[in-house]
Amino acid sequence: MPAAAGPLPGPEDEARYGFEPLFNGVRVLVHLPGDGRIRLISGIGQDVTSADPELRQLPVVLPPGLLAVLDGEIITLGKHGGPSMERLRRRMSLRHPAAVEQAGADMPARLMVYDILHLGEPVLHGFLRLGLVTLDPAIPTPSGAPQ
């Protein structure tokens, strides 16, 4: 459903809607070719993998040989644990590899995955249901979502 001005649905209608939080990060397509590599492509088509070296570890925590394309957003967290656009802007302005590596240690990038677009084969027909499954066991899966 497109965003539209108007009253918010009540709690009794919550199950009828999908919610996507706004993090004000950098939207990326994450390419996992199945060989242990990762490629991050920005919304304007630029390869931004080298800007977030700590995200290169993502294939290590996923099943070996996973062939996937994910739609997500790169964010950094602020002092109080919420998304920080200021920190993300600082990170995005860095070009020297040593400075990028240091920023990865000081203010690591996080990848927020919204949709699984390809998982061995295209899965767009089921993106809403797949988008509800969490990849992190520390985050509870919403009730009614597939396990």
Side-chain angles (χ1 to χ4, degrees), residues 4-85:
L8 294 174
E12 67 281 357
D13 293 324
E14 187 173 297
R16 296 179 45 221
Y17 295 90
F19 298 92
E20 188 173 287
L22 176 65
F23 290 107
N24 286 327
V26 175
R27 202 68 182 247
V28 292
L29 286 179
V30 181
H31 293 262
L32 299 162
D35 60 3
R37 292 180 301 126
I38 184 172
R39 201 163 153 231
L40 306 169
I41 306 298
S42 75
I44 60 171
Q46 291 181 325
D47 188 327
V48 295
T49 310
S50 62
D52 301 292
E54 63 276 26
L55 294 180
R56 283 187 233 140
Q57 297 302 311
L58 181 62
V60 175
V61 300
L62 296 172
L66 181 69
L67 178 64
V69 177
L70 311 173
D71 175 22
E73 188 171 6
I74 296 173
I75 66 167
T76 54
L77 301 180
K79 295 176 192 169
H80 303 291
S84 171
M85 190 60 179

Side-chain angles (χ1 to χ4, degrees), residues 86-142:
E86 177 187 335
R87 283 182 172 210
L88 184 61
R89 266 187 288 217
R90 272 193 274 151
R91 281 206 55 159
M92 290 171 46
S93 69
L94 302 174
R95 297 292 176 257
H96 191 277
V100 171
E101 289 286 339
Q102 185 61 49
D106 295 343
M107 46 187 162
R110 303 284 193 263
L111 176 65
M112 308 304 288
V113 176
Y114 294 126
D115 296 314
I116 301 172
L117 306 177
H118 186 96
L119 192 58
E121 62 182 59
V123 293
L124 279 174
H125 58 275
F127 77 95
L128 282 176
R129 288 187 52 81
L130 287 170
L132 293 173
V133 177
T134 179
L135 297 176
D136 185 342
I139 300 172
T141 299

